[in-house]
Amino acid sequence: RSAMDHQPKFFENLSGTGKAIGVLTSGGDAQGMNAAVRAVVRMGIYVKAKVYFVYEGYQGMVDGGDNIVEVSWESVSSILQVGGTVIGSARCKSFRTREGRLQAAHNLVQRGITNLCVIGGDGSLTGANLFREEWSGLLEELAQNGKIDEEAVKKYAYLNIVGMVGSIDNDFCGTDMTIGTDSALHRIIEVVDAIMTTAQSHQRTFVLEVMGRHCGYLALVSALACGADWVFIPEYPPEEGWEDSMCVKLSENRARKKRLNIIIVAEGAIDCHNKPITSEKVKDLVVQRLGFDTRVTILGHVQRGGTPSAFDRILASRMGVEAVLALLEATPATPACVVSLSGNQAVRLPLMECVQMTQEVQKAMDEGRFVEAVRLRGRSFENNLNTYKLLSHKKPDAELPKTNFNVAVLNVGAPAAGMNAAVRASVRVGITEGHKMFAVIDGFEGFARGKIKEISWGDVGGWTGQGGSILGTKRTLPAKYLEKIADQMRTNNINALMVIGGFEAYLGLLELSAAREKYDEFCVPMVMVPATVSNNVPGSDFSIGADTALNTITDTCDRIKQSASGTKRRVFIIETMGGYCGYLANMGALAAGADAAYIFEEQFDIRELQANVEHLTEKMKTSIQRGLVLRNENCNENYTTDFIYQLYSEEGKGVFDCRKNVLGHMQQGGAPSPFDRNFGTKISAKAMQWISKKLKETYRKGKVFANTDDSVCLLGMRRRNLVFQPVAELKNETDFVHRIPKEQWWLKLRPLMKILAKYKTSYDVSDSGQLEHVAMHSPKEAETGAI
């Protein structure tokens, strides 16, 4: 980038004065669309633009009248937690005709709307692009017909379009996650978890049909998240003779005392001759060949329903704000773009490049080029598929390599949902790589006491959906047990360590690597994957368990908001976990639509508290008569939850009353969310492969000896990639006193929460704005691992 670009860019300097933005939802509905609508409306009003709802998608644009209405800040209150779309969506035949589009253009010009934000699938976005290309011609025609004057043709000469992809299928190329996908996975996983208990009771086989006519994402990821026995997806049809291999697999599982089988079928599943594979067909096959008691469950529209997950609300809010920025910066020369997420970063991509690539996938499938289809879907999809194949089928012992290496797995720190999925993946990948796997019970403390045993492929079956830590976990650090742990490593001949845990796991690895001078036993490869609800481990944007905790906080806040709305004029103060790390409080506030979040990373004083009280007092004069304030447990030692509660109660007398709620340990419990299951599974599989590589590199003269910094690593998600980082190098990035990283990516999202709660704030948008191109990734790149 040139020197010019180094000036930080602030959105306060972008003005929407004189601009009008229309927002519509089109195509199939998806959870989180409302969060996107809310963000567009509020961000638009914030930058002083006029914002209009277009009701019922393109149909409303063609019909005009009451279907296109200017909206206010309060119009989008209380919709964040509602599934579907409150402004309606309809399939529209007339917009496909030029007459329809002419009518639509007339309706927009009458209101001065030349900026459109379209939330929908690829069909809706393609339609929007065509509309944009025809725009000047449509205006000319309207002028000729005397509908508008020449002045209007000049004034409204250009139409700007920004798209956001709302689709539960996640079938749009160029975006890692579309709005609604995560929520649909939540619905599927809830159903699978429920079915598993009944299948266990009766030794049944269940065939589940999930949505995805042309895209197998939901089927694939839910199969990965529940450890299904078999999955059918359109991009990767089974080989010839799959009927036999599937039945062999199912009966082997039964023979291993597994009481249930789960088979997941995408509704668009096909065989290699492009013939459909239906759930009924699969059921009949199992019944005829094996005589198993088999049931079919078709999930259908349940997957589109329900409240959006925390991930979808945050995704949609980020995208909505980004969409308004893109519209403010758009020029006649910039192509229509979609805003999307790549890894953990908001990006803008040319709309038609994405659409073309999405159509390429379909074409590849129609022509039977399935390897190509999987590659075109992107590296995240490919990674999911490879991980699923790795973990679902155990090779016969005769086919497994034998390395004679022993690898131990342990959990360290507080329990976090998704730890068990991580252990399962490590154990199975380790076995596939030819190692003997050992499980350590109760962390470093259990290690010192010799609580260690070999663990097999079957031992970890069904672990993905279990919350907490089955192995048991302790916060104890190894320093005081070094002698005993070294003994145990020698006795059991442990050649590598896989540690799954939070900040203590990180400290533990630092202590073990420091002890290498004294103990040869610790001169082995060691790796940790971050697992803690607090998300406070340096070297990773996310940690296993944080998403589940965030969903718990969001669900609770939804209920509390409902109670507050009923009572009127009530403010709730909610205390979240996280140690000194404000991630849960800040992101929970964004996902729940809170008015403020107090965190340690952003110091606040009595003036700020006062300003918040005044802000809420103003809010009580509007139609939104409730308030929600989140406070991280350690944000300030003197401004405690009680103090803030009492201050608000006193200052708000006669205007609002106050209640407080400490969420506590419920944030560590519960079944892991789909994100945590998958993140845990994929990151651990990758960590185990790293261990194998390091073991080969450090094996000399009959023993493993590793004492360099790069043999003790933390595997973390950094922006767009999974990266191995020596723990020694992470020391400089760590604030050890407060147990948090010195720099945290999510602090950049803090202004977003304030903007959406109507606070004046500064927002650095230097990161956004460059239009990127849709990259075709090379097969090698899939290994760098998008999540």
Side-chain angles (χ1 to χ4, degrees):
R1 295 209 276 183
S2 62
M4 287 270 306
D5 288 347
H6 283 307
Q7 297 296 310
K9 182 172 72 172
F10 290 99
F11 96 114
E12 304 85 288
N13 308 335
L14 295 170
S15 166
T17 313
K19 295 194 175 182
I21 300 173
V23 57
L24 71 147
T25 53
S26 169
D29 69 319
Q31 309 95 322
M33 280 184 164
N34 290 326
V37 168
R38 169 181 179 265
V40 170
V41 169
R42 292 197 166 171
M43 184 70 173
I45 292 171
Y46 197 95
V47 296
K48 302 194 168 47
K50 286 182 159 178
V51 187
Y52 291 81
F53 274 169
V54 179
Y55 284 103
E56 312 306 336
Y58 289 118
Q59 193 62 54
M61 205 190 294
V62 175
D63 295 346
D66 293 344
N67 289 304
I68 307 177
V69 217
E70 191 180 346
V71 288
S72 69
W73 190 271
E74 279 93 57
S75 308
V76 289
S77 162
S78 298
I79 67 170
L80 186 62
Q81 61 270 36
V82 180
T85 161
V86 295
I87 56 176
S89 174
R91 305 257 177 233
C92 175
K93 288 220 173 72
S94 47
F95 193 73
R96 296 193 171 169
T97 64
R98 190 173 163 93
E99 286 67 56
R101 293 192 290 275
L102 194 66
Q103 188 57 48
H106 186 215
N107 290 329
L108 294 183
V109 170
Q110 282 177 314
R111 297 167 177 80
I113 300 173
T114 55
N115 294 284
L116 276 187
C117 179
V118 182
I119 307 164
D122 56 345
S124 317
L125 299 180
T126 314
N129 194 57
L130 176 65
F131 191 40
R132 177 176 184 265
E133 285 168 357
E134 289 182 350
W135 183 259
S136 50
L138 292 170
L139 294 199
E140 293 290 340
E141 196 175 324
L142 287 169
Q144 281 162 10
N145 300 348
K147 294 268 181 74
I148 58 174
D149 53 22
E150 281 304 326
E151 185 57 34
V153 177
K154 282 199 193 73
K155 190 176 174 188
Y156 303 124
Y158 298 103
L159 176 69
N160 294 318
I161 283 188
V162 173
M164 279 185 265
V165 192
S167 147
I168 65 167
D169 290 344
N170 202 18
D171 56 358
F172 196 77
C173 290
T175 70
D176 275 358
M177 282 295 259
T178 57
I179 296 167
T181 305
D182 188 64
S183 302
L185 286 171
H186 272 259
R187 294 300 92 78
I188 295 170
I189 291 304
E190 283 157 18
V191 172
V192 176
D193 285 355
I195 278 179
M196 279 192 159
T197 54
T198 163
Q200 283 274 4
S201 311
H202 294 278
Q203 296 203 32
R204 280 198 175 129
T205 296
F206 269 87
V207 181
L208 282 158
E209 184 179 305
V210 300
M211 280 185 168
R213 268 186 317 234
H214 307 294
C215 177
Y217 185 88
L218 290 177
L220 177 57
V221 175
S222 50
L224 195 55
C226 71
D229 295 284
W230 203 271
V231 64
F232 293 98
I233 57 172
E235 293 87 345
Y236 186 76
E239 294 163 5
E240 287 276 10
W242 60 269
E243 295 89 344
D244 298 332
S245 35
M246 183 182 81
C247 291
V248 167
K249 166 96 201 289
L250 295 180
S251 46
E252 272 177 10
N253 279 351
R254 281 294 164 94
R256 284 203 206 107
K257 302 278 189 292
K258 188 175 175 188
R259 294 178 59 90
L260 80 161
N261 304 108
I262 302 263
I263 300 167
I264 293 182
V265 185
E267 58 180 337
I270 46 175
D271 64 19
C272 49
H273 306 295
N274 260 328
K275 299 267 183 301
I277 295 178
T278 63
S279 40
E280 278 303 327
K281 181 177 167 182
V282 175
K283 176 198 154 171
D284 294 342
L285 186 76
V286 176
V287 172
Q288 279 159 15
R289 298 235 184 146
L290 300 170
F292 288 174
D293 183 359
T294 308
R295 297 281 188 276
V296 173
T297 299
I298 297 175
L299 294 190
H301 283 75
V302 166
Q303 295 162 84
R304 287 192 188 280
T307 171
S309 64
F311 182 94
D312 272 333
R313 297 181 197 195
I314 292 164
L315 172 68
S317 301
R318 284 175 74 177
M319 299 300 97
V321 167
E322 185 71 23
V324 173
L325 291 176
L327 285 171
L328 293 182
E329 296 182 286
T331 65
T334 46
C337 74
V338 285
V339 290
S340 92
L341 208 57
S342 169
N344 187 24
Q345 201 174 351
V347 291
R348 296 179 195 171
L349 301 163
L351 187 144
M352 287 321 287
E353 279 186 28
C354 297
V355 169
Q356 273 150 4
M357 186 128 146
T358 305
Q359 288 164 352
E360 285 289 314
V361 182
Q362 192 53 50
K363 198 165 156 237
M365 293 195 305
D366 293 343
E367 294 170 9
R369 300 192 319 257
F370 295 110
V371 177
E372 183 77 353
V374 169
R375 206 177 61 136
L376 285 165
R377 276 274 180 245
R379 55 182 196 161
S380 168
F381 189 91
E382 197 166 357
N383 213 358
N384 282 318
L385 184 59
N386 292 337
T387 312
Y388 175 76
K389 290 197 292 201
L390 201 62
L391 296 173
S392 61
H393 302 289
K394 182 181 192 291
K395 288 190 181 137
D397 289 342
E399 286 176 35
L400 289 174
K402 277 278 175 284
T403 61
N404 296 323
F405 290 132
N406 296 344
V407 181
V409 184
L410 65 161
N411 290 161
V412 177
M419 277 182 162
N420 301 320
V423 172
R424 168 184 177 265
S426 333
V427 168
R428 291 197 167 177
V429 173
I431 290 171
T432 306
E433 305 260 325
H435 313 317
K436 237 186 194 176
M437 296 302 297
F438 287 82
V440 176
I441 314 297
D442 298 341
F444 287 119
E445 197 175 308
F447 209 165
R449 296 203 178 128
K451 292 185 174 174
I452 176 167
K453 60 173 200 289
E454 195 182 334
I455 186 164
S456 71
W457 181 280
D459 291 340
V460 291
W463 278 30
T464 39
Q466 307 285 327
S469 161
I470 298 173
L471 292 184
T473 179
K474 286 265 191 290
R475 289 176 179 273
T476 324
L477 292 171
K480 56 179 189 184
Y481 295 117
L482 290 172
E483 183 82 42
K484 290 181 171 166
I485 293 175
D487 280 348
Q488 287 301 328
M489 301 235 342
R490 195 170 50 251
T491 313
N492 294 287
N493 191 18
I494 300 298
N495 308 113
L497 280 186
M498 163 85 179
V499 185
I500 299 157
F503 203 83
E504 285 87 2
Y506 165 62
L507 293 176
L509 283 193
L510 285 171
E511 290 181 1
L512 290 178
S513 62
R516 279 176 162 181
E517 296 170 31
K518 201 171 163 195
Y519 300 98
D520 274 1
E521 287 82 358
F522 300 138
C523 295
V524 297
M526 305 185 210
V527 66
M528 81 163 274
V529 296
T532 162
V533 297
S534 307
N535 197 21
N536 64 333
V537 179
S540 190
D541 288 0
F542 295 114
S543 60
I544 300 165
D547 184 69
T548 305
L550 206 49
N551 276 297
T552 305
I553 292 167
T554 312
D555 290 348
T556 311
C557 287
D558 287 351
R559 294 181 185 195
I560 286 171
K561 269 170 86 169
Q562 234 169 8
S563 143
S565 303
T567 334
K568 293 282 183 291
R569 305 222 289 216
R570 179 165 283 179
V571 174
F572 273 89
I573 291 149
I574 294 173
E575 182 187 302
T576 68
M577 278 185 163
Y580 284 96
C581 176
Y583 179 81
L584 290 178
N586 188 67
M587 300 308 258
L590 190 55
D595 296 285
Y598 298 117
I599 60 173
F600 169 76
E601 291 88 348
E602 193 173 285
Q603 293 295 299
F604 57 97
D605 56 17
I606 196 72
R607 284 180 293 280
E608 187 132 351
L609 290 168
Q610 182 62 34
N612 292 147
V613 172
E614 284 162 14
H615 187 89
L616 283 165
T617 308
E618 282 307 299
K619 184 176 172 182
M620 295 301 162
K621 294 176 185 163
T622 70
S623 57
I624 318 172
Q625 299 190 341
R626 54 173 165 65
L628 187 62
V629 175
L630 270 65
R631 177 190 174 274
N632 158 273
E633 57 185 354
N634 289 345
C635 64
N636 187 302
E637 60 176 330
N638 293 315
Y639 298 144
T640 59
T641 302
D642 283 334
F643 176 91
I644 294 176
Y645 162 70
Q646 286 166 336
L647 178 83
Y648 273 55
S649 297
E650 180 59 33
E651 295 292 316
K653 263 194 188 146
V655 184
F656 57 81
D657 66 356
C658 223
R659 293 286 183 275
K660 64 173 196 253
N661 203 329
V662 177
L663 297 185
H665 281 74
M666 63 188 275
Q667 293 164 88
Q668 281 180 7
S673 66
F675 181 89
D676 280 332
R677 295 179 191 201
N678 261 353
F679 182 52
T681 299
K682 284 197 271 194
I683 197 169
S684 304
K686 198 170 165 63
M688 226 30 239
Q689 288 165 331
W690 177 88
I691 283 185
S692 295
K693 190 172 114 250
K694 281 287 176 223
L695 282 170
K696 284 195 191 88
E697 286 171 16
T698 57
Y699 185 66
R700 295 275 175 282
K701 298 187 184 148
K703 66 178 283 207
V704 172
F705 188 80
N707 65 347
T708 51
D709 280 352
D710 68 355
S711 62
V712 187
C713 279
L714 179 147
L715 174 56
M717 163 94 174
R718 277 279 171 99
R719 283 179 96 144
R720 301 191 188 185
N721 290 311
L722 286 174
V723 266
F724 288 96
Q725 303 143 99
V727 288
E729 286 172 21
L730 291 172
K731 272 185 180 163
N732 300 333
E733 298 179 26
T734 312
D735 168 352
F736 285 100
V737 179
H738 300 104
R739 303 161 52 98
I740 51 175
K742 287 179 187 166
E743 282 189 13
Q744 304 186 78
W745 67 272
W746 53 266
L747 283 166
K748 278 212 175 102
L749 299 188
R750 197 155 161 77
L752 237 97
M753 185 207 89
K754 295 183 179 173
I755 290 165
L756 296 174
K758 219 176 187 174
Y759 281 95
K760 286 278 169 272
T761 180
S762 172
Y763 182 27
D764 179 353
V765 292
S766 316
D767 261 7
S768 62
Q770 277 72 38
L771 193 67
E772 301 189 5
H773 290 286
V774 183
M776 264 297 296
H777 74 286
S778 59
K780 184 79 200 118
E781 208 187 285
E783 292 167 22
T784 60
I787 286 300

